[in-house]
Each structure stands twice: as structure tokens, then as C-alpha cells.
């Protein structure tokens, strides 16, 4: 029994085409559902209405959504990608800078001095450590604390 006789090439082509269209349909359906939730201009009732329309009448709901709101889908995708890139870039900048700067450490020390947590002498010692560049966070936090014996 030959499979080629039972399943000709044209039938295989049509099966692949229908499978591709079915996958693309689900891709489009999920893209519309995610866009409904991502859209900040829609109210809660608007989102619920579109979602019910897309779920109850999926073909009609998706096509009406694409006609009515499809132009803004691309804009929202670009804004979302831009916001993600901006958050990633700021995370990389913060991580690459190595944490707090000496100016931040000096500001923390000045705040501790004004609260009375450290004395002016301890402030001067910690300030010298921060300005010398030797482990400002750890050394500044240990100034004035008794060493363990």
C-alpha cells in the first residue's frame, strides 16, 4: 500500500495551507487579546466588551477589532517595545555603574550626622574613607562601631 496513491501532492499542499492558516488564526486571536489588555485608553468595561465579543464570536470579533482598532495596535507595540528597551537600558546603566557613587555615600553620611547617628569626628573619618575610594559602603558603615574581639 503506497501512501502517495492515497495522499496526492495537491492534498498535502492543501493540508499544509489549512494548517498554516489555522496557526495564523490563533496567532492573530492571541495578539488581539493581548492588545485588548495592553491598551490603556480602553476602560474596564470596554476591555470586557471587546473580550466577550472576541471570545463569543471569534472570527467576527477579531475582524471587527482589526478594522476598528487595528491601526493603533502597531503604535502600542512600538511603545511597549520602546518602554522595555528604556527599562533594560536603565537597568544596564545602574548595574554597570557599580551601585552607589561617592556623592551618594557622602549624602548618606551627612544625613546620618544630622540625625545624630554618628559624631562629627566619625563623619570626618568616614568622609576621608569615601574620598580615598576604599570600600565606602562597608567602611563608612563600620566607623564608630566597636570591633569584635
Amino acid at each position: 500500500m503506497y501512501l502517495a496513491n492515497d495522499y496526492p501532492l495537491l492534498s498535502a499542499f492543501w493540508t499544509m495551507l489549512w494548517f498554516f492558516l489555522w496557526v495564523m488564526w490563533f496567532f492573530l486571536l492571541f495578539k488581539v487579546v493581548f492588545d485588548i489588555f495592553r491598551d490603556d485608553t480602553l476602560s474596564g468595561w470596554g476591555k470586557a466588551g471587546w473580550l466577550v465579543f472576541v471570545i463569543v464570536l471569534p472570527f467576527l470579533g477579531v475582524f471587527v477589532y482589526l478594522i476598528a482598532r487595528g491601526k493603533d495596535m502597531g503604535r502600542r507595540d512600538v511603545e511597549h517595545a520602546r518602554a522595555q528597551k528604556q527599562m533594560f537600558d536603565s537597568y544596564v546603566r545602574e548595574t554597570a555603574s557599580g551601585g552607589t557613587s561617592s556623592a551618594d555615600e557622602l549624602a548618606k553620611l551627612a544625613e546620618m550626622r544630622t540625625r545624630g547617628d554618628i559624631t562629627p569626628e566619625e563623619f570626618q573619618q568616614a568622609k576621608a574613607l569615601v574620598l580615598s575610594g576604599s570600600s565606602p559602603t562597608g567602611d563608612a558603615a563600620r566607623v564608630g562601631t566597636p570591633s569584635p574581639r
Side-chain angles (χ1 to χ4, degrees), residues 36-59:
I36 290 171
F37 284 110
R38 185 183 295 166
D39 190 6
D40 292 333
T41 61
L42 278 177
S43 67
W45 288 107
K47 289 179 183 184
W50 275 113
L51 194 61
V52 166
F53 188 38
V54 166
I55 289 175
V56 171
L57 298 170
F59 289 110

Side-chain angles (χ1 to χ4, degrees), residues 90-101:
S90 68
Y91 170 74
V92 168
R93 264 187 254 109
E94 288 175 12
T95 305
S97 70
T100 60
S101 66

Side-chain angles (χ1 to χ4, degrees), residues 10-108:
L10 188 59
S11 294
F13 171 75
W14 282 113
T15 302
M16 289 188 316
L17 180 68
W18 282 112
F19 180 75
F20 173 75
L21 291 175
W22 189 249
V23 169
M24 289 306 297
W25 164 249
F26 277 109
F27 174 77
L28 185 60
L29 178 68
F30 288 124
K31 184 124 176 96
V32 166
V33 169
F34 287 137
D35 188 66
I36 290 171
F37 284 110
R38 185 183 295 166
D39 190 6
D40 292 333
T41 61
L42 278 177
S43 67
W45 288 107
K47 289 179 183 184
W50 275 113
L51 194 61
V52 166
F53 188 38
V54 166
I55 289 175
V56 171
L57 298 170
F59 289 110
L60 184 63
V62 166
F63 292 132
V64 169
Y65 186 85
L66 289 175
I67 291 169
R69 303 183 52 84
K71 184 171 52 171
D72 294 332
M73 284 178 69
R75 182 187 50 81
R76 282 188 290 275
D77 281 342
V78 168
E79 286 175 0
H80 183 70
R82 192 173 290 144
Q84 279 185 330
K85 183 180 181 328
Q86 187 178 21
M87 288 189 314
F88 177 74
D89 290 345
S90 68
Y91 170 74
V92 168
R93 264 187 254 109
E94 288 175 12
T95 305
S97 70
T100 60
S101 66
S102 57
D104 293 335
E105 291 292 328
L106 289 174
K108 288 178 188 176

Side-chain angles (χ1 to χ4, degrees), residues 81-148:
R82 192 173 290 144
Q84 279 185 330
K85 183 180 181 328
Q86 187 178 21
M87 288 189 314
F88 177 74
D89 290 345
S90 68
Y91 170 74
V92 168
R93 264 187 254 109
E94 288 175 12
T95 305
S97 70
T100 60
S101 66
S102 57
D104 293 335
E105 291 292 328
L106 289 174
K108 288 178 188 176
L109 286 172
E111 182 182 334
M112 290 171 66
R113 183 184 59 179
T114 56
R115 282 193 320 236
D117 293 341
I118 58 174
T119 64
E121 295 82 23
E122 292 170 340
F123 172 76
Q124 292 302 326
Q125 290 174 353
K127 181 179 167 185
L129 286 172
V130 168
L131 293 177
S132 70
S134 62
S135 181
T137 307
D139 292 341
R142 285 194 295 271
V143 171
T145 58
S147 62

